[in-house]
């Protein structure tokens, strides 16, 4: 009792005006359902039964001979009818609610009636009295009892109805009725049903009749395409083949007049949605104009509270919640841990908390939860009751497109996905294309910053037989700039294309260099999500020297602002300076806040994974640096760079030694190393605190302080 009161208090703390959107998405794989809905069976006289049969042709049970007459029917009463004016009502139980309601209607209309418990096998009441029918109308409280009756008895009943011209009314329970019931508290609540056309009419006779029954209520629900044969899209590498399969389902929908304008689809087992399979996204758009989907897999199944949405290739992916109805749970009594366990998760447990804590909840479960023990309907009705009893939540439902609008208005920062390594999560790996491999990701990132020597290091690394760099980019040359730039939204398939298909050799070790990673706000978190085991190398040179080299580089590339303003102007520009100048200043100085940027990388990578290279040593003694790097990377094949590099006095740099004694060098230096004295003094002061922080950080990391930093610290004292 105490806990209930506490719960009540907790719930009341939730702002009343909070609008909670509650959308249940239910995937019905083989379309067979029951619904609590008046279902009048329109029976046609089947030719075999209707025409020209003699009494002798009639089917006679061994236990109960049937004295039916075909054609003329039974004995006519004075009012001309061949049956007694009695209605036969098949109820679920003597206490069932709908059964009692039916009886009440019959009584108030002064009908004579007789109630019977719906027979399963063998207990069909006697339908005839001599040549006269005993009932004028048959009512089934639950039409499924008729549908699932053994063939013997159903045929008996069918013949009775045909012979005596008796009609049958069935109450087609559950789905529509539950929908209507939920609508009383959630306006316009509508079940969203998924279909896989290949399974239409592919079940038992009963199931096939269920398919038809459901389709006769097609307008009552929303519909979404599943896959034609429930196949997993990530298994299709060829987009056109995938699209063809989707077309089959589309044609099925058109043939059956299933409305498909919701722009929403769900992939079996979340396949291809996350980790994203570009082929699925493109085929969905092409065939169905899909704009919204949902998954439980982003970023991971567990913990559920971290599930998020994202947008990829114009398709909005909404987070889906788990409702605890596993596919194998068909019957209430068989619920794992017993029915009380299901009730516990509903009544204040996980399911209740899911709705309480998520402003938007999307649930999906399977046909078996609807067609068998109506576990799905039971669960959601009970959940709704619990919510209405214990909270003031305002529940609302929206069609998928509007729901997606709402979600991303509310969580705009969810727009960008964070791509993770599909091989780090077994569930993800299982729904990732076999044609894709995590071995095609780099194991080493050279993160810059700009103008510290990273290009030279990139060249030297590429000389190692076990290391392979990325293919060049048309836009950004040797750099991919995936984690820091706008290409990130293109996804990991795009990124992987920059690396060769892995050979069988275990020594494949890919690396890439993008100098913009070091000081990017987002690169570290993104890189760590996709490449959690990668090694990271940053080259740090004197930030004063770096800022000046960067400025000269901009001038050499005719940056108008750099040409217009002197270096001193740039570094000393105030908050009132022209915006262009301020922007230039930031780009010039910010990468030199080494401690700030390195700390960010250390938030996402263990310090053992990061190596800080002294830019000055790289310039003067690259072979020693390369030795250290090979050890850091754990390369078995140690190359002696003293033999493969040569100093080029003309260029003033170490270069790659080619066959025949020639050298391959990078471009020559773009001017003096240090700026004017005044600027130097200004910048020394500007970077002083940052450099002190950097020394502490490197000390903690157990890394050797670069020579330039030691010198700088000595001067500070
Ligand atoms: P300058 O071009 O101003 O001399 P990055 O590649 O990170 O942008 O850095 C470019 C800087 O790398 C060059 O700046 C140069 O000082 C330095 N560097 C270090 N070793 C080098 C090498 N072997 N060849 C060319 N430049 C080298």
């Amino acid at each position: 009792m105490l806990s209930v009161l506490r719960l009540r208090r907790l719930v009341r703390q939730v702002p009343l005006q909070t609008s909670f959107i509650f959308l249940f998405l239910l995937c019905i794989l083989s379309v067979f359902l029951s619904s609590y809905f008046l279902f009048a069976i329109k029976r046609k006289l089947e030719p075999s039964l209707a025409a020209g049969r003699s009494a002798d042709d009639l089917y006679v049970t061994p236990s109960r001979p049937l004295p039916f007459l075909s054609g003329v029917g039974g004995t006519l009463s004075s009012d001309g009818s061949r049956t007694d004016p009695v209605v036969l009502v098949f109820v679920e139980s003597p206490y069932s609610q709908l059964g009692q309601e039916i009886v009440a209607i019959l009584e108030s209309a002064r009908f004579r009636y007789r109630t019977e418990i719906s027979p399963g096998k063998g207990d069909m009441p006697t339908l005839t009295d001599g040549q006269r029918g005993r009932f004028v109308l048959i009512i089934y409280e639950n039409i499924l009892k008729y549908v699932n009756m053994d063939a013997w008895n159903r045929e008996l009943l069918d013949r009775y109805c045909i012979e005596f011209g008796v009609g049958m009314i069935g109450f087609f329970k559950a789905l529509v009725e539950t929908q209507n019931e939920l609508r009383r508290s959630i306006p316009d609540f509508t079940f969203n049903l998924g279909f896989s056309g290949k399974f239409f009419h592919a079940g038992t006779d009963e199931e096939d009749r269920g398919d038809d029954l459901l389709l006769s209520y097609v307008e009552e629900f929303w519909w979404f395409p599943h896959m034609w044969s429930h196949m997993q899209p990530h298994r299709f590498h060829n987009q056109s083949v995938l699209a063809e399969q989707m077309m089959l389902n589309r044609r099925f929908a058109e043939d059956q007049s299933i409305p498909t304008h919701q722009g929403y689809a769900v992939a079996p087992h979340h396949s291809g949605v996350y980790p994203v399979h570009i082929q699925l996204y493109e085929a969905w758009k092409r065939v169905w104009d899909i704009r919204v989907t949902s998954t439980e897999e982003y970023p991971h199944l567990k913990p559920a509270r971290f599930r998020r949405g994202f947008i990829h290739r114009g398709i909005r992916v909404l987070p889906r919640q788990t409702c605890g109805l596993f596919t194998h749970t068909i019957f209430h009594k068989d619920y794992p841990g017993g029915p009380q366990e299901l009730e516990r998760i509903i009544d204040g447990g996980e399911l209740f908390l899911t709705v309480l804590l998520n402003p938007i909840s999307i649930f999906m479960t399977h046909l078996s939860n609807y067609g068998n023990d109506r576990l799905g309907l039971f669960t959601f009705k009970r959940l709704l009751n619990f919510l209405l009893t214990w909270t003031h939540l305002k529940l609302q439902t929206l069609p998928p497109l509007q729901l997606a609008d709402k979600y991303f208005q509310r969580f705009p920062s969810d727009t960008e996905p964070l791509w993770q390594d599909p091989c780090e999560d077994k569930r993800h790996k299982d729904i990732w294309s076999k044609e894709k491999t995590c071995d095609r990701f780099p194991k080493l990132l050279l993160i810059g910053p700009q103008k510290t020597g990273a290009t030279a290091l990139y060249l030297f690394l590429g000389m190692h037989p076990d290391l392979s760099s990325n293919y060049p980019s048309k836009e950004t040359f040797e750099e991919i700039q995936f984690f820091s730039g706008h290409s990130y939204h293109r996804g990991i398939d795009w990124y992987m294309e920059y690396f060769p298909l892995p050979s069988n050799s275990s020594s494949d070790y890919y690396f890439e260099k993008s100098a913009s990673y070091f000081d990017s706000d987002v690169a570290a978190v993104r890189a760590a999500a996709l490449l959690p085991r990668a090694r990271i190398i940053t080259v740090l040179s004197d930030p004063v020297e770096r800022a000046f080299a960067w400025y000269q580089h901009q001038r050499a590339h005719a940056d108008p602002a750099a040409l217009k303003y002197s270096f001193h102007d740039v570094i000393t520009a105030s908050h009132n300076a022209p915006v262009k100048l301020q922007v230039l200043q930031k780009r010039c100085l910010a990468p030199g806040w080494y401690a700030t940027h390195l700390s960010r990388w250390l938030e996402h990578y263990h310090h053992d994974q990061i190596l800080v290279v002294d830019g000055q040593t790289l310039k003067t003694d690259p072979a020693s640096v390369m030795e250290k790097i090979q050890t850091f990377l754990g390369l078995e094949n140690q190359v002696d760079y003293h033999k493969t590099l040569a100093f080029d006095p003309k260029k003033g740099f170490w270069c790659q030694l080619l066959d025949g004694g020639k050298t391959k060098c990078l471009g020559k230096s773009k001017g003096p190393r240090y700026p004017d004295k005044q600027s130097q003094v200004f910048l020394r002061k500007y970077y002083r605190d940052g450099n002190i922080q950097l020394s502490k950080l490197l000390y903690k990391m157990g890394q050797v302080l670069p020579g330039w930093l030691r010198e700088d610290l000595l001067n500070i004292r």
Side-chain angles (χ1 to χ4, degrees):
M1 189 59 192
L2 195 65
S3 62
V4 171
L5 288 174
R6 251 188 239 133
L7 177 67
R8 203 170 197 168
R9 229 172 289 138
L10 167 81
V11 170
R12 283 194 174 142
Q13 282 161 11
V14 175
L16 301 189
Q17 68 275 27
T18 311
S19 160
F20 279 73
I21 296 155
F22 192 38
L23 179 72
F24 299 120
L25 289 167
L26 300 150
C27 168
I28 309 304
L29 301 183
S30 164
V31 195
F32 173 70
L33 279 171
S34 56
S35 110
Y36 203 49
F37 196 75
L38 189 63
F39 175 65
I41 296 182
K42 301 174 200 96
R43 45 188 64 253
K44 289 184 205 132
L45 287 182
E46 291 158 48
S48 60
L49 283 169
R53 278 200 167 183
S54 71
D56 298 337
D57 291 329
L58 282 171
Y59 184 75
V60 176
T61 71
S63 58
R64 198 178 328 125
L66 262 181
F68 292 168
L69 289 180
S70 66
V72 292
T75 314
L76 293 179
S77 62
S78 52
D79 64 354
S81 72
R82 285 178 282 133
T83 57
D84 293 337
V86 179
V87 177
L88 174 61
V89 185
F90 285 119
V91 292
E92 291 277 80
S93 81
Y95 316 105
S96 59
Q97 200 190 334
L98 178 63
Q100 290 180 26
E101 284 167 16
I102 295 167
V103 165
I105 293 168
L106 293 173
E107 282 174 346
S108 59
R110 292 176 172 71
F111 276 113
R112 283 171 58 200
Y113 67 91
R114 175 171 158 193
T115 55
E116 288 282 338
I117 306 292
S118 305
K121 281 192 172 77
D123 324 319
M124 182 60 68
T126 310
L127 299 171
T128 55
D129 186 4
Q131 292 186 349
R132 204 174 152 70
R134 300 182 63 201
F135 305 106
V136 68
L137 180 69
I138 314 283
I139 297 181
Y140 264 94
E141 179 188 348
N142 177 7
I143 193 65
L144 279 192
K145 280 284 157 55
Y146 165 80
V147 170
N148 291 324
M149 200 162 44
D150 62 300
W152 187 298
N153 274 315
R154 203 175 52 236
E155 199 167 334
L156 192 74
L157 192 60
D158 283 353
R159 289 185 182 200
Y160 172 78
C161 291
I162 292 161
E163 288 298 324
F164 291 91
V166 166
M168 190 188 292
I169 291 175
F171 284 82
F172 175 42
K173 272 193 167 182
L175 197 67
V176 176
E177 146 67 21
T178 303
Q179 183 166 286
N180 290 337
E181 209 175 308
L182 295 176
R183 279 180 181 176
R184 276 179 229 138
S185 316
I186 312 171
D188 298 327
F189 175 85
T190 307
F191 285 111
N192 200 351
L193 310 183
F195 57 90
S196 292
K198 192 177 176 199
F199 300 108
F200 179 66
H201 278 182
T204 61
D205 286 353
E206 282 90 342
E207 286 167 344
D208 292 353
R209 273 197 292 277
D211 290 353
D212 294 332
L213 201 53
L214 190 64
L215 284 179
S216 66
Y217 294 101
V218 79
E219 295 298 336
E220 298 291 328
F221 307 108
W222 295 335
W223 297 83
F224 69 85
H226 217 39
M227 288 294 155
W228 162 248
S229 60
H230 200 249
M231 69 271 193
Q232 298 184 299
H234 76 272
R235 298 187 189 281
F236 291 76
H237 199 69
N238 186 318
Q239 191 182 305
S240 308
V241 178
L242 185 60
E244 274 166 31
Q245 291 287 313
M246 287 185 186
M247 275 312 290
L248 295 173
N249 215 21
R250 190 173 158 174
R251 268 180 228 123
F252 162 76
E254 283 161 4
D255 289 348
Q256 300 300 330
S257 307
I258 296 175
T260 51
H261 56 271
Q262 296 281 357
Y264 178 79
V266 170
H269 303 286
H270 311 270
S271 152
V273 177
Y274 190 80
V276 300
H277 190 54
I278 290 178
Q279 293 89 329
L280 170 66
Y281 283 70
E282 292 306 313
W284 258 349
K285 284 192 285 187
R286 215 169 92 197
V287 177
W288 289 105
D289 191 21
I290 294 304
R291 280 163 289 155
V292 184
T293 183
S294 64
T295 187
E296 293 170 1
E297 293 295 341
Y298 176 74
H300 293 286
L301 183 74
K302 284 182 179 165
R305 66 181 184 282
F306 289 156
R307 275 180 224 159
R308 298 284 180 268
F310 66 93
I311 304 179
H312 184 55
R313 300 204 159 216
I315 294 187
R316 289 171 295 169
V317 182
L318 299 176
R320 199 158 74 215
Q321 318 303 333
T322 320
C323 59
L325 300 180
F326 313 110
T327 316
H328 60 260
T329 307
I330 292 175
F331 298 107
H332 183 249
K333 67 177 173 43
D334 295 337
Y335 192 83
Q340 67 281 3
E341 182 56 24
L342 176 61
E343 282 151 26
R344 199 185 58 75
I345 68 162
I346 299 169
D347 298 351
E350 207 178 316
L351 193 50
F352 166 73
L353 288 174
T354 299
V355 177
L356 185 71
L357 302 177
N358 290 294
I360 295 175
S361 292
I362 300 173
F363 295 106
M364 175 163 152
T365 179
H366 291 83
L367 167 72
S368 48
N369 298 134
Y370 293 84
N372 293 278
D373 224 7
R374 300 182 205 135
L375 208 52
L377 301 175
F378 163 81
T379 301
F380 291 119
K381 276 202 289 193
R382 187 169 176 128
L383 176 63
L384 180 65
N385 282 340
F386 194 86
L387 285 163
L388 294 177
T389 308
W390 294 101
T391 75
H392 291 293
L393 297 183
K394 187 179 149 215
L395 300 171
Q396 200 188 335
T397 197
L398 286 176
L401 289 174
Q402 288 174 39
L403 190 70
D405 289 345
K406 199 86 169 180
Y407 181 87
F408 287 102
Q409 271 161 22
R410 206 175 166 115
F411 303 109
S413 59
D414 278 10
T415 308
E416 281 274 5
L418 185 66
W419 309 122
Q420 300 156 104
D421 180 351
C423 303
E424 287 288 308
D425 183 327
K426 190 179 173 321
R427 289 177 62 96
H428 287 175
K429 198 160 187 267
D430 287 347
I431 51 172
W432 201 44
S433 170
K434 294 276 172 288
E435 313 248 348
K436 298 172 193 174
T437 159
C438 294
D439 291 341
R440 214 176 163 185
F441 290 130
K443 293 187 187 136
L444 164 64
L445 293 182
L446 211 48
I447 60 174
Q450 270 187 312
K451 300 309 290 182
T452 55
T455 316
L457 184 53
Y458 180 71
L459 175 77
F460 301 159
L461 286 168
M463 290 162 58
H464 195 288
D466 293 348
L467 300 176
S468 307
S469 62
N470 53 289
Y471 299 130
S473 151
K474 274 191 198 133
E475 289 169 38
T476 46
F477 312 102
E478 88 267 7
E479 300 197 347
I480 310 175
Q481 299 179 359
F482 177 65
F483 297 110
S484 55
H486 66 271
S487 294
Y488 186 71
H489 75 261
R490 292 172 159 154
I492 59 175
D493 291 5
W494 180 89
Y495 184 50
M496 273 194 297
E497 290 292 317
Y498 278 94
F499 298 93
L501 276 169
S503 65
N504 288 332
S505 147
S506 58
S507 60
D508 275 335
Y509 201 121
Y510 298 150
F511 70 97
E512 68 127 327
K513 182 261 311 184
S514 295
S516 51
Y517 290 169
F518 178 71
D519 52 296
S520 153
D521 287 340
V522 288
V525 62
R526 288 174 172 178
L530 185 64
L531 312 170
R533 288 160 214 278
R535 301 269 156 165
I536 309 295
I537 296 180
T538 174
V539 185
L540 300 183
S541 58
D542 178 359
V544 177
E545 200 180 323
R546 195 214 73 83
F548 185 55
W550 185 86
Y551 168 77
Q552 292 190 98
H553 178 87
Q554 292 305 108
R555 282 176 71 94
H557 286 83
D559 177 330
L563 291 174
K564 186 169 172 189
Y565 299 104
S566 72
F567 183 63
H568 195 260
D569 288 342
V570 174
I571 59 173
T572 56
S574 73
H575 295 307
N576 304 324
V579 176
K580 274 186 189 160
L581 182 55
Q582 286 190 53
V583 170
L584 191 70
Q585 182 190 56
K586 175 114 195 275
R587 292 177 61 210
C588 180
L589 300 181
W593 306 336
Y594 293 156
T596 307
H597 304 308
L598 190 58
S599 303
R600 195 172 39 240
W601 282 88
L602 283 165
E603 274 171 32
H604 300 284
Y605 282 99
H606 190 270
H607 62 76
D608 286 350
Q609 291 174 271
I610 302 178
L611 180 70
V612 177
V613 167
D614 180 348
Q616 188 54 32
T617 316
L618 178 67
K619 217 184 255 183
T620 54
D621 184 10
S624 72
V625 169
M626 293 312 292
E627 202 179 305
K628 201 171 163 185
I629 289 178
Q630 291 177 80
T631 309
F632 169 66
L633 298 181
L635 301 179
E636 278 174 22
N637 205 352
Q638 285 270 339
V639 170
D640 182 358
Y641 277 81
H642 290 104
K643 295 181 182 152
T644 55
L645 295 177
F647 188 75
D648 186 318
K650 268 199 221 149
K651 302 268 180 179
F653 286 121
W654 285 87
C655 306
Q656 182 180 1
L657 189 59
L658 301 174
D659 291 344
K662 284 195 170 177
T663 54
K664 183 181 164 193
C665 301
L666 295 172
K668 63 177 172 52
S669 200
K670 295 171 186 71
R673 228 175 110 184
Y674 285 110
D676 60 283
K677 197 76 200 155
Q678 218 188 348
S679 298
Q680 273 191 59
V681 172
F682 178 88
L683 285 182
R684 289 263 158 253
K685 203 168 160 215
Y686 178 85
Y687 283 122
R688 195 178 59 198
D689 289 351
N691 280 350
I692 294 172
Q693 269 179 39
L694 177 67
S695 65
K696 290 181 184 165
L697 208 55
L698 292 175
Y699 181 74
K700 267 197 215 157
M701 291 170 73
Q703 305 240 356
V704 181
L705 295 199
W708 58 264
L709 183 57
R710 282 170 191 274
E711 225 173 275
D712 199 58
L713 295 176
L714 284 176
N715 288 337
I716 290 167
R717 281 187 211 141

